[in-house]
Amino acid sequence: MARHRLTALVAVVSLVPLGMSVSPLSGASAVPSLSTAMATASAPTAVGEPARKAKYSATIRITEHGIPHITAENFGSLGYGSGYAAATSSICTLADTLITGRGLRSRWFGPKKMYDDQVSMNGSNLQIDALVTDLHNRHVVEKLLADPKAGPGAEARAIVRGYTAGINRYLLDHGRRGVTDPACHGAAYLRPDLRPIDLWYGVYLANLLASTGVFVKEIVDAAPASIDDPGLPDPGLPVAADIDRDKLLAGLGRDPDSGFGSNATAIGGNESSTGKGMLLGNPHFPWRGRYHFTQQHLTIPGRYDVAGASLIGSPVVNIGWNSNVAWSHTVSTAYRFTPYEYHTVPGTLTYLTASGVHELEHRTVKITVRKKGGLGTVTEDLYRTPQGYVIDAPAQFMGWSPISLWAIRDANAEQLRTIDTFLDMGKATNVRDLLRRQDAGGGMPWVNTTAADRNGDVLYADHSVVPNVPTALAQQCMTPVGLVLNQVAGLPGLDGTLADTTCKWKTDGDAGRPGVFGGKNLPDVVRRDWVMNANDSYWLPNPKSPIEGYANLIGCERCERTMRTRMVSQYVIDRLADGRKETPASLRGHEHENRLRAAEVMRQHGDLDTVCDATGETQACAVLRKWDGTSNISSRGTHIFEEFVARLPTVPLDLVDTVWGTPFSAADPLNTPRDLNTDNPLVVQAMADAIAYLRSKHIPFDATWGSLQVAGDRGAPPIPLGGGTGDSVGNANALASRHPVQNAEKFRPITYGSSHIQAISFLSGGRVDARTILTYGQSEDPTSPWSVDQTRMFSKKRWVDFAWTEAQIRRQLVRSFVLTG
């Protein structure tokens, strides 16, 4: 432990402001109050100028693994400490996020370079800047800030002001050349000139992740139909049965092959050994970029005490716990937008509505771009209807043709309540209070919530921001193409002619603002046994209580579950068999069991071996037969199974699934489909192709999984990792390789998936057992010892014993200081 603390002390020096004294480790156990600190960093005062009272004051205590515990007397100061700590661990990504929110990517990085947020928003810097600049020109965020219903409250404004001041303070203290991360060391854009409005635009763009953000290229490149670009993928009306569903879903921001998702399981008092609630949450997010997490603990004594993880640029805890309730999030199946189709007058920029002919709003934006020899200006054109931006997306059957065009109305583009929502959830006293506060906030952008409380109640809810389009309204208003979109992807394309009348989004009496569903029309359940979600729809949080009767736009009912959903549920079902209870150790142990539900199902009756034997590949089949059926780092044969599943035939929309002998049944959703179809030559061919592929890559059939699957985020050594593919293979510890930047020569370098994992158990006497792991480490700076320390722990199936109480913080304390300014 002493050696570990010495390593941590070396790292914390970079966090301490310049000119600040560092006390020896013998003083590390002394925890300062707000009025007394081991060391204080203050804003400079000019000679002869009377001392002024600091606007902000926050105590920052760093515990093992670089986790900051921030204490302040108000939300402004709390944000000040949070911003400083976030800049310390992630200044390069934080700066990049704020540059994006300012619409200055082309100015600093050049217009042709590509931007990818690793989730949905991707395009050239010029395309990103064109959209963001138009948002600025329209003063979208400024108008929302002035809106008493759709805009933030006083506490959210205060914490954002403090957060940006804290980032500025970090840059003032260190200067751009004091930044040690090689990704942005010395960069000219590292300037202490951030404003709260910059962060608000960053938050706003995050809200658009599953809606407008998906269509950046299609918005910026939208143009009237021409002979060369008629706006149609193929002549004629599309037929649902002929459409590649996976390709269409990918174009709508729902790529089935994306690693973006999450698991969450909550165990209630009736099935826990403690008689109280327990939670295991594991968001599957990128390991780099603006959607990766850092950990923090935020405290206002006597008023506010919450810990967990925050996305880059978030001053509040997004996934976490307090003394009485813990929660996690999983990406919801609900759509955040609806497309409207308008009839146009050929050769003009006009379209038809119930009130007559209207002209499109033609917007011109000027973007400053970096070019050889200096800076220049590029002009882009965008178009809007009152509902939203016009898109030109022929691949999604929403092209700008000579006779029609499409625009999207985005529910998350009409709110700026996300910070309020997460901030207020941190005050919750139980799961029902958590949901009440979430509804009052009205800004849960695109995720479900799974939660557990000290009383032993557990919650599943999808009370996210969803357009108020009941199924009856959708059926009444869908155009012919809109009907096909709905049949294939569950997205109704509505009649833009009536967008302001009979096809306008409805408003619920209990909704916080017009156009979205209120809580009474959104799915939720509170139970005492258990609930879960793994990115399938709301329908089955527990097999004993299916949720039905909600709008199709939110998700499907009585529909097939992924193998990952089946695995997450099966962990609990197996544990509770024969009258056993879930314990804190057994629940968190599920994270690293690394079972593969698809393999368990396919091995029934020896079906998997039968398929492999049919290929004649005796060596590979011998390995597969001896395989332990998991994705542990020592497992041999995991890669054969992974490659086999990846090559199984997909099921066309109108055909029967030929992979399975027993099809899906809503009466037995966690056990169907099953019975691998050993007689299907396409199934056998998938196995043969998988084996041939591995042979072509010179991958030994008996290679250990940990020799093939390794960390692939920036600066990481090839640390072996357990886990693997989620939905299709059925691995709850879902990991994926997407555009690796490190260890690319390895078979599967990981850049995506299991991220901030938390196992929270409420114990007697007001105690909380909080175990966490941030799989890629607290610091994104590869020179920091807190960059890969938790990755090594994750590899070894170890947990961080998160310092929650004052006594725990004292035991793990590395350094503390008071930051004022």
Side-chain angles (χ1 to χ4, degrees):
M1 179 64 72
R3 183 172 61 184
H4 178 79
R5 288 176 181 269
L6 182 59
T7 301
L9 179 60
V10 173
V12 84
V13 169
S14 67
L15 184 144
V16 180
L18 299 178
M20 181 175 170
S21 62
V22 179
S23 302
L25 272 178
S26 60
S29 61
V31 181
S33 66
L34 292 178
S35 58
T36 305
M38 294 164 54
T40 302
S42 302
T45 301
V47 176
E49 179 183 288
R52 61 178 178 84
K53 183 179 180 180
K55 184 176 181 180
Y56 300 114
S57 178
T59 298
I60 302 178
R61 293 177 286 177
I62 308 299
T63 56
E64 295 168 6
H65 310 291
I67 300 171
H69 304 256
I70 300 151
T71 306
E73 293 180 340
N74 54 64
F75 283 103
S77 292
L78 201 62
Y80 190 60
S82 177
Y84 195 95
T88 301
S89 63
S90 309
I91 186 59
C92 295
T93 297
L94 191 55
D96 185 89
T97 299
L98 293 167
I99 287 170
T100 305
R102 284 175 155 181
L104 296 177
R105 298 196 61 81
S106 300
R107 160 69 173 80
W108 290 108
F109 310 126
K112 294 183 180 180
K113 288 190 176 181
M114 299 301 292
Y115 172 74
D116 184 357
D117 69 6
Q118 309 297 314
V119 177
S120 67
M121 183 180 286
N122 65 82
S124 69
N125 287 336
L126 182 63
Q127 290 169 325
I128 302 297
D129 287 343
L131 175 62
V132 176
T133 300
D134 192 57
L135 296 176
H136 280 273
N137 291 349
R138 292 172 49 223
H139 305 291
V140 171
V141 170
E142 290 86 346
K143 291 175 183 176
L144 287 172
L145 286 168
D147 189 318
K149 289 187 176 181
E155 290 177 344
R157 294 169 190 267
I159 203 168
V160 165
R161 285 194 300 269
Y163 190 82
T164 52
I167 299 170
N168 285 336
R169 176 57 188 274
Y170 173 86
L171 291 171
L172 281 169
D173 286 340
H174 292 79
R176 65 176 186 263
R177 302 204 178 278
V179 171
T180 57
D181 190 334
C184 65
H185 168 73
Y189 55 77
L190 293 176
R191 300 173 176 177
D193 61 353
L194 301 174
R195 304 163 300 159
I197 192 66
D198 299 323
L199 188 68
W200 282 119
Y201 268 99
V203 170
Y204 183 78
L205 290 178
N207 287 348
L208 307 183
L209 175 149
S211 44
T212 300
V214 175
F215 297 102
V216 173
K217 297 175 184 176
E218 291 79 4
I219 290 170
V220 175
D221 294 343
S226 65
I227 295 176
D228 295 330
D229 182 12
L232 295 171
D234 291 299
L237 184 69
V239 178
D242 297 335
I243 294 173
D244 184 333
R245 182 173 183 269
D246 287 354
K247 184 177 180 181
L248 176 60
L249 288 172
L252 297 174
R254 295 168 174 247
D255 187 352
D257 295 327
S258 170
F260 193 55
S262 301
N263 313 322
T265 303
I267 307 298
N270 289 357
E271 301 293 356
S272 71
S273 62
T274 63
K276 302 180 185 302
M278 303 190 298
L279 176 79
L280 175 62
N282 179 1
H284 303 148
F285 273 48
W287 282 26
R288 63 184 189 273
R290 72 161 303 177
Y291 294 109
H292 86 261
F293 290 101
T294 57
Q295 296 171 311
Q296 63 175 343
H297 183 182
L298 304 175
T299 303
I300 299 176
R303 291 179 57 195
Y304 196 73
D305 195 20
V306 62
S310 307
L311 293 172
I312 296 297
S314 172
V316 293
V317 169
N318 302 121
I319 290 174
W321 70 92
N322 61 26
S323 293
N324 296 301
V325 61
W327 68 93
S328 193
H329 298 298
T330 54
V331 175
S332 156
T333 58
Y335 280 101
R336 313 299 155 188
F337 66 96
T338 62
Y340 279 97
E341 184 178 15
Y342 305 79
H343 299 293
T344 60
V345 178
T348 73
L349 293 178
T350 58
Y351 60 96
L352 307 180
T353 73
S355 61
V357 177
H358 291 266
E359 187 163 347
L360 289 174
E361 181 184 4
H362 180 188
R363 302 191 57 79
T364 301
V365 295
K366 294 181 179 180
I367 304 102
T368 300
V369 301
R370 179 173 295 278
K371 62 179 185 178
K372 187 176 181 179
L375 299 176
T377 301
V378 173
T379 300
E380 289 284 354
D381 297 298
L382 294 83
Y383 300 87
R384 287 182 57 84
T385 73
Q387 281 63 50
Y389 283 108
V390 174
I391 63 172
D392 189 4
Q396 287 74 52
F397 309 99
M398 294 184 286
W400 190 341
S401 78
I403 59 172
S404 71
L405 60 83
W406 294 79
I408 57 171
R409 183 177 175 188
D410 183 345
N412 272 320
E414 300 173 12
Q415 65 95 6
L416 199 62
R417 295 282 300 168
T418 305
I419 299 296
D420 294 79
T421 302
F422 286 115
L423 187 152
D424 207 37
M425 287 171 65
K427 304 175 185 177
T429 57
N430 55 58
V431 295
R432 287 183 172 85
D433 186 40
L434 184 85
L435 186 58
R436 180 188 65 79
R437 291 175 182 274
Q438 187 179 125
D439 286 346
M444 186 56 66
W446 28 260
V447 289
N448 308 287
T449 300
T450 302
D453 68 25
R454 181 170 295 282
N455 301 328
D457 289 328
V458 292
L459 164 76
Y460 162 77
D462 186 353
H463 280 218
S464 53
V465 176
V466 185
N468 194 329
V469 181
T471 301
L473 177 65
Q475 291 172 343
Q476 172 188 340
C477 290
M478 281 186 284
T479 65
V481 175
L483 179 62
V484 174
L485 287 172
N486 190 58
Q487 290 173 337
V488 179
L491 176 65
L494 307 181
D495 187 350
T497 306
L498 304 174
D500 288 319
T501 55
T502 55
C503 296
K504 185 178 181 178
W505 294 357
K506 293 184 177 295
T507 298
D508 288 342
D510 62 334
R513 59 186 175 276
V516 295
F517 283 119
K520 293 180 180 178
N521 282 319
L522 293 168
D524 63 73
V525 64
V526 174
R527 296 182 62 85
R528 295 280 301 175
D529 49 3
W530 61 278
V531 296
M532 60 73 61
N533 185 265
N535 304 123
D536 275 321
S537 71
Y538 58 83
W539 175 54
L540 205 68
N542 181 299
K544 295 179 181 178
S545 61
I547 302 174
E548 298 181 353
Y550 291 90
N552 293 345
L553 195 68
I554 306 172
C556 62
E557 297 174 2
R558 305 180 68 80
C559 49
E560 187 175 335
R561 309 285 91 179
T562 66
M563 283 293 182
R564 178 161 58 90
T565 288
R566 291 169 64 176
M567 188 73 264
V568 173
S569 298
Q570 199 65 40
Y571 278 139
V572 181
I573 291 169
D574 289 350
R575 175 66 192 183
L576 299 182
D578 303 321
R580 293 186 298 173
K581 302 285 188 182
E582 283 279 15
T583 69
S586 70
L587 180 61
R588 66 176 177 264
H590 297 328
E591 174 59 37
H592 291 298
E593 288 187 48
N594 290 329
R595 291 165 56 185
L596 278 62
R597 189 59 179 157
E600 295 173 356
V601 174
M602 292 180 182
R603 277 182 151 178
Q604 294 171 3
H605 316 300
D607 291 342
L608 185 64
D609 291 334
T610 298
V611 168
C612 194
D613 290 342
T615 67
E617 293 279 2
T618 56
Q619 184 182 4
C621 294
V623 172
L624 196 62
R625 187 174 287 106
K626 294 179 181 179
W627 174 45
D628 64 8
T630 75
S631 58
N632 289 321
I633 60 176
S634 60
S635 298
R636 300 177 187 271
T638 308
H639 56 308
I640 301 175
F641 185 73
E642 284 252 357
E643 295 301 321
F644 164 61
V645 173
R647 288 164 174 77
L648 284 172
T650 56
V651 185
L653 193 67
D654 63 338
L655 295 181
V656 176
D657 191 337
T658 57
V659 172
W660 304 102
T662 301
F664 169 74
S665 169
D668 192 14
L670 295 181
N671 295 302
T672 57
R674 64 173 182 269
D675 300 322
L676 186 64
N677 188 348
T678 58
D679 296 327
N680 185 348
L682 295 178
V683 173
V684 175
Q685 189 61 49
M687 181 67 78
D689 290 346
I691 295 170
Y693 171 76
L694 292 170
R695 182 180 289 115
S696 72
K697 293 293 183 181
H698 308 290
I699 304 297
F701 296 136
D702 63 349
T704 61
W705 187 231
S707 69
L708 304 175
Q709 179 171 269
V710 301
D713 56 314
R714 184 167 61 92
I719 300 169
L721 300 176
T725 302
D727 286 359
S728 59
V729 171
N731 204 319
N733 187 10
L735 298 174
S737 181
R738 296 183 62 185
H739 314 299
V741 295
Q742 195 83 7
N743 306 318
E745 74 282 359
K746 293 291 186 177
F747 181 70
R748 188 177 162 92
I750 296 303
T751 61
Y752 220 99
S754 297
S755 55
H756 165 75
I757 310 170
Q758 60 179 39
I760 311 299
S761 299
F762 295 104
L763 308 177
S764 61
R767 294 174 299 141
V768 179
D769 179 34
R771 310 294 178 94
T772 67
I773 196 75
L774 188 60
T775 56
Y776 37 73
Q778 176 74 5
S779 176
E780 69 177 17
D781 180 356
T783 69
S784 168
W786 293 328
S787 173
V788 298
D789 58 328
Q790 293 192 63
T791 311
R792 298 185 189 281
M793 294 177 68
F794 179 58
S795 173
K796 297 175 181 178
K797 301 186 178 183
R798 293 172 55 199
W799 294 85
V800 170
D801 192 351
F802 196 98
W804 171 245
T805 67
E806 285 296 319
Q808 292 166 342
I809 293 172
R810 282 196 295 270
R811 284 195 297 270
Q812 294 191 28
L813 188 64
V814 174
R815 181 59 53 209
S816 75
F817 58 92
V818 172
L819 188 73
T820 61

